[in-house]
Amino acid sequence: MLDVTVIEDPEAAAVSLDPIRAGLLAELAAGPASAAMLAGKVGLPRQKVNYHLKALERHGLVELAGERRKGNVTERLMRATAASYVISPLALAAVQPDPDRFRDQLSAHWLLALGARLVRDVGSLITGAAKAHKRLATYALDGEVTFASAADRAAFVQELTAGVSALIRKYDAPDAEAGRGHRIVVAVHPTVKPQTAEVPDRSDEPDQSDQSDERDQPDQLAQPDRRGSSHRPEPTDQTDQPDQ
């Protein structure tokens, strides 16, 4: 079983987004099970579970893990093909984000478009590498930093851009005969604050309407090009559902 895989086919994406089938995927990611075993967990008749499992299998989201005899019946034990799934923008190819449509380093929407392209491209590379039985050469760095001020954050972004641009100028070899192009994406965005169960009561606080808005600036992102300058769920088809 893969740790994570990308769903590129629109029909497979629609199948995976069905709440019942998504629930079955979650159960099968935990371990192999038969339709009869799953029926008690999800509260559906075995026949309906079997129907949904066949749809998932047809789109490569679950696979046969083995068979076992139970009385006069042979049960098929199914398992998920991955522990988790990501839907590629290719599943909505006609409206997928295009970061080349506009470039704005201070736009959170541009950062999101770059992230979507990252999912699309790496997903396609993973698919191709798996078919060729080859290892995909990638690298990722993830970390957190707390800035004392917006000025510090801006200075950090400037130094980061300069450093990455210098490395690109140093190692870029576009005329190398055996060279292979690589995409570099660097992003900086605020961390997501944990959700709190209670909302603080601020009814007795003074009116803040006359105070200046000091919200964080939009996410900053730098994607240097090879010369060092900065570059820039489909609805579920219900026609195949059985009568509920």
Side-chain angles (χ1 to χ4, degrees):
M1 178 192 295
L2 299 173
D3 181 60
V4 60
T5 192
V6 178
I7 298 174
E8 298 176 334
D9 178 66
E11 292 185 5
V15 166
S16 70
L17 290 172
D18 177 271
I20 294 175
R21 293 168 180 170
L24 292 173
L25 276 177
E27 293 289 345
L28 293 175
S34 66
M37 295 165 63
L38 291 168
K41 294 182 178 181
V42 300
L44 288 174
R46 180 184 57 81
Q47 293 85 349
K48 287 187 177 180
V49 171
N50 224 4
Y51 167 81
H52 290 301
L53 288 177
K54 287 180 180 178
L56 291 168
E57 184 179 17
R58 190 162 57 248
H59 291 92
L61 300 175
V62 302
E63 61 188 4
L64 182 66
E67 295 181 341
R68 71 174 185 180
R69 293 285 298 178
K70 191 174 181 180
N72 295 326
V73 178
T74 300
E75 288 188 332
R76 302 176 78 231
L77 297 175
M78 309 300 295
R79 66 184 174 195
T81 54
S84 55
Y85 299 84
V86 175
I87 296 178
S88 168
L90 288 175
L92 290 170
V95 290
Q96 65 178 307
D98 181 8
D100 292 330
R101 193 177 301 147
F102 73 99
R103 292 179 171 87
D104 184 353
Q105 286 183 288
L106 301 182
S107 169
H109 297 287
W110 192 54
L111 188 154
L112 192 62
L114 286 172
R117 183 174 66 185
L118 184 68
V119 170
R120 182 198 69 192
D121 290 354
V122 175
S124 297
L125 288 168
I126 289 174
T127 300
K131 290 180 179 178
H133 302 288
K134 292 183 178 180
R135 181 177 175 83
L136 184 62
T138 62
Y139 170 78
L141 176 66
D142 180 43
E144 291 188 16
V145 58
T146 300
F147 297 112
S149 66
D152 283 355
R153 181 178 61 189
F156 175 87
V157 170
Q158 288 182 346
E159 291 184 39
L160 181 63
T161 302
V164 173
S165 298
L167 285 172
I168 290 176
R169 288 193 297 270
K170 179 179 179 180
Y171 289 100
D172 185 32
D175 299 325
E177 214 171 291
R180 172 72 185 270
H182 287 68
R183 183 175 297 281
I184 299 171
V185 177
V186 181
V188 178
H189 66 82
T191 55
V192 178
K193 295 180 180 179
Q195 295 286 340
T196 55
E198 295 181 2
V199 178
D201 182 9
R202 296 180 177 172
S203 58
D204 59 344
E205 292 185 4
D207 185 9
Q208 302 294 322
S209 59
D210 60 341
Q211 297 186 10
S212 60
D213 185 1
E214 296 182 357
R215 291 175 295 177
D216 284 343
Q217 294 294 321
D219 303 341
Q220 301 204 21
L221 181 147
Q223 183 192 349
D225 67 4
R226 58 176 44 163
R227 296 303 169 199
S229 62
S230 295
H231 271 304
R232 38 184 227 300
E234 184 135 340
T236 302
D237 184 1
Q238 302 293 333
T239 58
D240 63 345
Q241 295 283 346
D243 293 338
Q244 303 294 328

